[in-house]
């Protein structure tokens, strides 16, 4: 898996400013100013800023958005989480357990034990169980999506094969975000290589105390939610305004789902 934001590509856009002018003296009719249109369902705001609270050092050049997750099938057991990092070089939604207030059902491996994942980045790893959630980004929704819960307290210890891949990134402070939304070009984070290969180094079958490598079907792997949307599911566009020297402390833009839809 590629390191977060390693393959990030931005599409610059112009800024639009709508100005409504009104006025009038005595006897002038009242002027009605129409409300601005609501954002399209396939558009969600993104921001570059210093990151969520609790970071040891402020984030730099990191793109964030807001994601809502729900217990599958529920419209009330939901949580909206900000400062989810947007990454075009990885695949799937991963949430930091310290910020997750919902109880999501842990997925089962093919042997009936809990399914867990070691997510490997260039500079470290993140460990935690795979769970299932309904995922909403902007007005787009994907149901029963396998997601990873990073750093879940009380879960099985990190296997040596995972811990040996680098530095642990299992807290908000070390991860630099409340989670990560991988919207790269693939549907799964591992793909066919992990289906029948128990030594794939990604997926593990875990009891309460021990874990061992196991294959994971394509549908049980952590999935990119974009292809699972009912529409606007054939790609993404990131639009950010241009920045003049010497830079800016914050920047706001849009993440658009669907190419030519």
């Amino acid at each position: 898996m590629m390191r977060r934001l390693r393959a990030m590509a931005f599409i610059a856009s112009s800024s639009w400013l709508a100005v409504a002018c009104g006025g009038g003296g005595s006897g002038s009719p009242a002027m009605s100013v129409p409300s601005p249109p609501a954002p399209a369902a396939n558009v969600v705001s993104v921001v570059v800023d210093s990151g969520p609270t609790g970071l040891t050092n402020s984030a730099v050049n990191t793109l964030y958005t807001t994601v809502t997750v729900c217990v599958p099938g529920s419209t009330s057991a939901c949580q909206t989480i900000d400062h989810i990092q947007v990454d075009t070089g990885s695949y799937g939604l991963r949430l930091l357990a310290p910020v997750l207030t919902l109880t999501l059902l842990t997925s089962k491996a093919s042997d009936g034990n809990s399914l867990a994942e070691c997510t490997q980045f260039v500079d470290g790893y993140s460990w935690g169980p795979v769970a299932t959630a309904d995922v909403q980004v902007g007005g787009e929704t994907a149901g029963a999506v396998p997601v990873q819960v990073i750093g879940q307290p009380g879960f099985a210890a990190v296997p040596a094969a995972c811990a040996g891949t680098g530095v642990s990134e299992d807290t908000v402070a070390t991860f630099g975000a409340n989670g990560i939304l991988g919207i790269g070009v693939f549907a799964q984070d591992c793909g066919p290589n992990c289906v029948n290969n128990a030594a794939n180094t990604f997926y593990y079958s875990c009891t309460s105390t021990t874990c061992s490598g196991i294959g994971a079907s394509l549908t049980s792997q952590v999935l990119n939610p974009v292809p699972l949307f009912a529409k606007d599911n054939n790609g993404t566009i990131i639009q950010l305004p241009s920045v003049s020297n010497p830079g800016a402390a914050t920047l706001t833009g849009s993440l658009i789902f669907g190419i030519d839809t």
Side-chain angles (χ1 to χ4, degrees):
M1 179 171 292
M2 298 180 67
R3 178 65 176 118
R4 301 186 300 274
L5 289 184
R6 184 176 177 183
M8 180 67 75
F10 295 125
I11 300 178
S13 68
S14 300
S15 298
W16 295 273
L17 181 64
V19 180
C21 297
S26 175
S28 298
M31 190 169 189
S32 176
V33 179
S35 299
N42 66 324
V43 180
V44 65
S45 178
V46 291
V47 64
V48 179
D49 63 14
S50 59
T53 57
L55 298 188
T56 303
N57 298 299
S58 296
V60 177
N61 293 335
T62 302
L63 189 69
Y64 300 102
T65 193
T66 297
V67 173
T68 297
V69 290
C70 301
V71 172
S74 174
T75 58
S76 58
C78 298
Q79 181 183 359
T80 299
I81 306 174
D82 63 9
H83 282 97
I84 300 293
Q85 184 175 350
V86 178
D87 183 18
T88 62
S90 66
Y91 323 99
L93 177 63
R94 306 172 197 282
L95 304 170
L96 273 292
V99 302
L100 187 63
T101 60
L102 296 177
T103 300
L104 300 176
L105 182 64
T106 299
S107 301
K108 296 295 184 182
S110 58
D111 61 2
N113 293 329
S114 297
L115 183 64
E117 184 177 19
C118 176
T119 305
Q120 300 166 32
F121 300 113
V122 172
D123 59 352
Y125 71 89
S126 294
W127 168 254
V130 177
T132 305
D134 291 346
V135 177
Q136 180 178 348
V137 191
E140 306 286 357
T141 301
V145 181
V147 303
Q148 185 185 20
V149 181
I150 296 173
Q152 179 167 302
F155 193 69
V158 184
C162 178
T165 60
V167 178
S168 172
E169 298 181 355
D170 285 350
T171 66
V172 173
T174 57
F175 199 85
N178 291 329
I180 184 168
L181 177 65
I183 54 172
V185 296
F186 298 113
Q188 305 91 18
D189 65 351
C190 183
N193 183 58
C194 281
V195 174
N196 297 312
N197 177 16
N200 59 68
T201 72
F202 278 76
Y203 288 96
Y204 291 81
S205 166
C206 296
T207 66
S208 59
T209 56
T210 61
C211 298
S212 58
I214 196 170
S217 68
L218 294 179
T219 55
S220 64
Q221 294 178 29
V222 172
L223 300 178
N224 180 347
V226 176
L228 303 177
F229 294 156
K231 57 182 181 178
D232 305 313
N233 53 20
N234 65 340
T236 58
I237 299 170
I238 295 171
Q239 290 185 331
L240 292 171
S242 60
V243 180
S244 60
N245 289 326
T250 63
L251 196 66
T252 301
S254 299
L255 169 59
I256 303 169
F257 299 108
I259 306 297
D260 197 26
T261 61

